[in-house]
Amino acid sequence: MAANEEKKSTIKEKLAKKKLSQIPNVKKESHKENVDELKKSFAEKETQCKNLFDSLQRTMAEFDNFRKRTEKEKLNIYGNAVCETIEKILPVLDNLERALSSISDKESNYYKGIEMVVKQFVCVLEDLGVKAIKIEPGEDFNHELHCAVAHVEDENLGENQIVDELEKGYKYKDKVIRYSKVRVAN
């Protein structure tokens, strides 16, 4: 029986050694597989990270463009509102100026009062950024600033030169609110 037990123990030892010798090979293979899987997973995550970062950059750029566009639209809305308002009140200024030109007594209180109102009106317009378009007789006609409402023959002036201004024009910054109505020669 002792011999049987010795045989059993030697067989068990041989099996244990055989199993132990196989275990490191299994571990090496599983480590290689794990490393390969980890590398593959890392590469996938890295690609995913790059895609998310790219998406974030695009979203930030879109938001920045949106912010700039809305800021520009706000300024345009304000500018358009100013132009529309000024366009509606310019006839009042025209009538005040006509009233001034119809008064023959330049020293009367009536004349001085209207003159003060006109000056105040012009100052308010200038504070808003509105300026009258300056015109000199003999100046060349500019279709971007002037509107020709009459044509006269004049030997002293060249072709398409302004004879006189019939109604003042006004600009808000670079935008024409009302074109100057002028008489053009030849």
Side-chain angles (χ1 to χ4, degrees), residues 23 55 64 73 124 132 139 145 150 175 186:
I23 290 175
S55 176
D64 191 44
E73 286 173 358
V124 168
E139 184 179 322
L145 300 173
K175 184 177 180 181
N186 305 323

Side-chain angles (χ1 to χ4, degrees), residues 13-149:
E13 286 176 10
K14 284 181 183 178
L15 284 173
K17 284 182 183 177
K18 196 173 188 181
K19 283 183 181 178
L20 284 174
S21 67
Q22 289 177 352
I23 290 175
N25 290 338
V26 170
K27 283 187 178 178
K28 284 181 184 176
E29 287 175 12
S30 68
H31 282 309
K32 284 182 183 177
E33 289 175 5
N34 283 343
V35 168
D36 289 342
E37 286 178 26
L38 287 174
K39 284 182 180 178
K40 190 175 182 181
S41 175
F42 179 76
E44 288 173 359
K45 296 298 180 190
E46 190 175 33
T47 303
Q48 187 180 19
C49 237
K50 285 180 182 177
N51 290 341
L52 288 173
F53 184 71
D54 184 51
S55 176
L56 175 67
Q57 283 183 321
R58 288 176 191 266
T59 304
M60 288 174 62
E62 285 176 15
F63 179 73
D64 191 44
N65 290 339
F66 169 76
R67 185 182 52 78
K68 289 176 184 175
R69 186 176 61 247
T70 55
E71 186 67 31
K72 190 183 282 186
E73 286 173 358
K74 280 184 203 176
L75 290 174
N76 285 339
I77 289 170
Y78 176 77
N80 289 339
V82 168
C83 289
E84 288 175 16
T85 304
I86 298 302
E87 189 175 15
K88 300 269 189 222
I89 63 173
L90 282 176
V92 176
L93 179 60
D94 294 337
N95 288 333
L96 289 170
E97 288 175 341
R98 283 186 199 106
L100 273 180
S101 65
S102 69
I103 299 172
S104 57
D105 184 11
K106 308 292 183 201
E107 298 300 318
S108 72
N109 290 336
Y110 184 65
Y111 181 86
K112 289 178 182 177
I114 293 175
E115 185 179 43
M116 287 179 2
V117 172
V118 168
K119 284 180 183 178
Q120 183 181 16
F121 207 122
V122 170
C123 285
V124 168
L125 290 177
E126 287 176 356
D127 289 344
L128 290 172
V130 177
K131 297 202 176 160
I133 298 172
K134 304 285 185 208
I135 292 182
E136 294 292 325
E139 184 179 322
D140 286 336
F141 176 79
N142 180 352
H143 70 278
E144 293 177 357
L145 300 173
H146 311 129
C147 175
V149 293

